[in-house]
Each structure stands twice: as structure tokens, then as C-alpha cells.
């Protein structure tokens, strides 16, 4: 087995055991393999070992890989910051976007989604730690942006995503994850289409799953350290 295959097995086992410990169904948490800074060849190795969903942070790099691997049945998620001048490429190439934080961006993605593609799945990025260095809306702003996204015919509101601050204690991190769980459950009351809470990375997936995450975004633990 390649090291990517081995590491993928390890991550899948970590997800399973976290689900078990939290009394959750093992298929209730989806694995998004974050392939940023790794080449199409690495994605192909993960695919050969059963992985289907991949996350990219940079539009141009992502679109190149999507085109190189167009013959494979992959599901591509955009998880990086969105500049207005990149919305067209995102709308035309990705199945999901995790980082919507402005109405203007939501409207552009809607307007630019090609008519022959299914609606673009959208998560709202929430700055749960209220960290000035992080993007995302505040919890209090979720309702208004959710309403806007839900009104766009070419977008489908699926839930929330967060990247907590990096310097939190385990207690603070657990508290932020729990805040997200409550915000997500509240959002689900208003919007039937919401089924996804994208939360947890290589270092904290167990804690995220214990706090209700339904999708973990894992890069390093699958592909190794990013060197650039
Ligand atoms: C890079 C990245 C990840 C993956 O982080 P790892 O620590 O490598 O698992 C997850 N989410 C986002 C938004 C990222 O940019």
C-alpha cells in the first residue's frame, strides 16, 4: 500500500472510533480529503483507496486538478477564501463551497452557476472564536445570510463551516465547537436543506465529532506535511 492509502485508513479508523465513543453512527461523519498543495497524483492515490470528496483552497490550483482528473467521479469542495473575481471559476467547477460569508458573493455564485449543473452546495463560514485573523460571519449574522442563500435558485444551503482560532485551550476549543453545534441545530429548525456541519481538521477531529461535526476536513493526516 502507498503511504497515502495507509494514512487514509488511519484517519477513517479515527473517525469510526470517535463516532463509536460519541454513540454516533459511523456514516454520520463524512471525510473531506484536503488536497491543497498536493498534486493530482496524490488525489488519484486516495481515490484508488476509496476516497471520493476532495477539498481545495486555491481556485486556480483546484481547477487545474479538477480538469486533470475529470475522468474520475470525484466531488470537489472549495474551502478557501473567496475573492469576487474568482466566483465564476468556483461556480463552474466545484460541487460545494464551505466559505460563503457575504451576500454579494452568494449572489455572484448563484448568477454564475452554469445552468446545466445542479445547485451549488453552500456552507456559511462562521468565525466562532471571534478571531480578528479569521474570516467568517458571527453567530448572530447566520440567519440573515442563510435567508439570502436559501433564496438563490442555483444555490443549496447545506449548513455551516468553521475554523476555530489556533491558540485555544482544549476547553475553549470544545466550547467553540459546542457553540457551532447549537447554531447548526438552530439553523436546521429554519431550513430543511441543512444537514452539514463542517468542523474538525487533522489535529482536532475527535473533539469536533464529539461535538456534532458531520464533515471533517483532513489534509496533513492523509497527505503529509505541506512543504510550500
Ligand atoms: C488546510 C485546511 C484544512 C486541513 O488542515 P490539516 O490540518 O492539514 O488537516 C482544513 N480546512 C481548511 C479550511 C484548510 O484550509
Amino acid at each position: 500500500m502507498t503511504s497515502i492509502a495507509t494514512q487514509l485508513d488511519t484517519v477513517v479508523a479515527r473517525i469510526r472510533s470517535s463516532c463509536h465513543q460519541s454513540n454516533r453512527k459511523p456514516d454520520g461523519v463524512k471525510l473531506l480529503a484536503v488536497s491543497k498543495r498536493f498534486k493530482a497524483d496524490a488525489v488519484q492515490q486516495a481515490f484508488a483507496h476509496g476516497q471520493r470528496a476532495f477539498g481545495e483552497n486555491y481556485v486556480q490550483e483546484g481547477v487545474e486538478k479538477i480538469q486533470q482528473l475529470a475522468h474520475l467521479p470525484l466531488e470537489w469542495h472549495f474551502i478557501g477564501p473567496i475573492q469576487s473575481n474568482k466566483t465564476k471559476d468556483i461556480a463552474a467547477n466545484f460541487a460545494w463551497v464551505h466559505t460563503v460569508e457575504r451576500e454579494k458573493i452568494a449572489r455572484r455564485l448563484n448568477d454564475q452557476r452554469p445552468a446545466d449543473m445542479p445547485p451549488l452546495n453552500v456552507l456559511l463560514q462562521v468565525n466562532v472564536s471571534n478571531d480578528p485573523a479569521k474570516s467568517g460571519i458571527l453567530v448572530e449574522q447566520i440567519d440573515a445570510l442563510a435567508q439570502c442563500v436559501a433564496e438563490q435558485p442555483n444555490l443549496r444551503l447545506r449548513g455551516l463551516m468553521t475554523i476555530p482560532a489556533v491558540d485555544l485551550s482544549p476547553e475553549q476549543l470544545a466550547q467553540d465547537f459546542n457553540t457551532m453545534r447549537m447554531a447548526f441545530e438552530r439553523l436546521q429548525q429554519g431550513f430543511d436543506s441543512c444537514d452539514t456541519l463542517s468542523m474538525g481538521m487533522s489535529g482536532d477531529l475527535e473533539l469536533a465529532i464529539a461535538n456534532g461535526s458531520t464533515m471533517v476536513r483532513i489534509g496533513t493526516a492523509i497527505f503529509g506535511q505541506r512543504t510550500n
Side-chain angles (χ1 to χ4, degrees):
M1 279 210 295
T2 65
S3 63
I4 288 177
T6 313
Q7 286 165 181
L8 197 49
D9 281 348
T10 304
V11 168
V12 169
R14 278 173 69 189
I15 294 172
R16 286 229 183 87
S17 106
S18 309
C19 287
H20 182 71
Q21 290 202 349
S22 316
N23 281 316
R24 299 184 50 190
K25 283 186 276 173
D27 60 0
V29 179
K30 179 164 166 162
L31 172 57
L32 181 66
V34 177
S35 45
K36 67 179 177 208
R37 301 298 188 219
F38 287 90
K39 296 211 161 35
D41 171 58
V43 174
Q44 206 147 8
Q45 287 179 43
F47 170 79
H49 206 61
Q51 180 63 25
R52 294 292 176 269
F54 293 88
E56 289 287 334
N57 280 60
Y58 308 97
V59 178
Q60 196 187 332
E61 180 191 330
V63 169
E64 275 171 29
K65 269 176 249 183
I66 291 171
Q67 287 168 355
Q68 285 169 341
L69 298 169
H71 56 291
L72 300 180
L74 305 179
E75 181 182 273
W76 291 97
H77 296 229
F78 187 75
I79 62 170
I82 307 176
Q83 293 163 317
S84 317
N85 63 352
K86 297 287 167 59
T87 50
K88 191 160 187 241
D89 285 334
I90 295 172
N93 289 282
F94 287 84
W96 287 70
V97 181
H98 290 220
T99 43
V100 171
E101 53 168 355
R102 285 193 285 152
E103 292 197 6
K104 179 187 163 194
I105 295 291
R107 290 182 211 283
R108 286 178 68 94
L109 289 169
N110 177 69
D111 295 346
Q112 294 169 334
R113 182 68 167 172
D116 60 346
M117 290 176 85
L120 180 61
N121 296 295
V122 167
L123 304 178
L124 312 182
Q125 183 172 356
V126 178
N127 185 358
V128 66
S129 312
N130 211 339
D131 174 357
K134 288 271 182 317
S135 6
I137 55 174
L138 301 177
V139 170
E140 304 79 59
Q141 298 170 316
I142 293 174
D143 281 354
L145 187 56
Q147 193 60 46
C148 170
V149 169
E151 283 165 7
Q152 310 301 318
N154 301 321
L155 303 183
R156 187 162 172 80
L157 180 66
R158 298 293 294 268
L160 304 175
M161 175 271 210
T162 197
I163 311 173
V166 285
D167 51 358
L168 302 180
S169 69
E171 293 75 23
Q172 286 171 316
L173 184 59
Q175 192 166 28
D176 279 356
F177 281 158
N178 191 49
T179 301
M180 287 299 297
R181 178 217 292 261
M182 290 188 295
F184 175 59
E185 286 173 356
R186 220 174 75 83
L187 184 68
Q188 284 184 302
Q189 308 288 313
F191 300 93
D192 285 344
S193 58
C194 289
D195 56 6
T196 303
L197 177 55
S198 166
M199 175 167 101
M201 310 202 283
S202 294
D204 57 17
L205 73 89
E206 285 82 4
L207 195 56
I209 291 173
N211 284 284
S213 166
T214 73
M215 191 185 289
V216 290
R217 308 179 307 269
I218 309 298
T220 317
I222 297 172
F223 295 109
Q225 289 293 336
R226 294 176 286 274
T227 50
N228 53 352

